[in-house]
Amino acid sequence: MATERQARLADRIRVLIAQRLEKGLRDPRLGFVTITDVRVTGDLQHASVFYTVLGDEKARNDTADALRAATGMLRSEVGRGLGVRLTPTLEFIADAIPENAGHIEDLLREAAERDAAVAGLAVGAAYAGDADPYQKPREYDDVQ
């Protein structure tokens, strides 16, 4: 469970890196990057930066190489912006959100197709037994 300080530091790191990437790096390999999350360890010494890249596999690989090459410069920027005694090390991790979202969309589409097939079968179906299978209380004739 993240402490409040970890959460504040992670959020500030996310903003600082996003701002720096928005200004641009002098690396042509860098694609359209979105910083999705930052997680800081309990001792505040290491930050895992999760990102996504718009584009194909080559764009993702090139961006990963560009971020790896710019890690030192980005860490310096983060250190200046944070104002803490020790600047955390940065590790860039490609986020699997787009792939997971695509897989979930495929599963939902498949489930909708199966539901439609079952609904099509149910249109002409008839009950196997009585239409109302529940027992009703007997009505007794008034015996006098």
Side-chain angles (χ1 to χ4, degrees):
M1 183 168 172
T3 65
E4 186 178 334
R5 184 167 184 207
Q6 280 176 282
R8 278 195 327 261
L9 192 66
D11 190 46
R12 186 70 184 136
I13 290 171
R14 184 181 58 77
V15 168
L16 289 169
I17 292 176
Q19 287 174 345
R20 182 61 183 108
L21 291 176
E22 189 176 309
K23 291 178 188 173
L25 299 177
R26 291 189 188 128
D27 196 330
R29 300 175 295 178
L30 188 68
F32 186 74
V33 181
T34 302
I35 304 299
T36 56
D37 192 19
V38 175
R39 295 189 186 141
V40 180
T41 58
D43 61 359
L44 309 177
Q45 296 297 308
H46 182 76
S48 298
V49 181
F50 294 89
Y51 67 94
T52 59
V53 180
L54 186 66
D56 59 356
E57 190 66 31
K58 182 181 180 333
R60 285 191 285 260
N61 290 336
D62 288 349
T63 299
D65 293 340
L67 287 174
R68 208 172 298 114
T71 299
M73 186 272 302
L74 290 171
R75 184 174 181 219
S76 298
E77 290 271 336
V78 167
R80 278 193 292 275
L82 286 180
V84 293
R85 189 170 60 101
L86 295 172
T87 303
T89 58
L90 301 177
E91 176 187 15
F92 289 94
I93 302 169
D95 207 343
I97 288 175
E99 292 83 15
N100 290 343
H103 180 67
I104 290 172
E105 285 177 8
D106 292 341
L107 291 174
L108 289 173
R109 185 175 42 256
E110 183 181 331
E113 290 169 0
R114 287 183 182 180
D115 285 349
V118 168
L121 291 174
V123 168
Y127 291 107
D130 294 334
D132 188 6
Y134 299 104
Q135 292 182 355
K136 305 281 188 244
R138 292 183 189 168
E139 294 184 20
Y140 295 101
D141 292 331
D142 290 331
V143 179
Q144 294 179 358

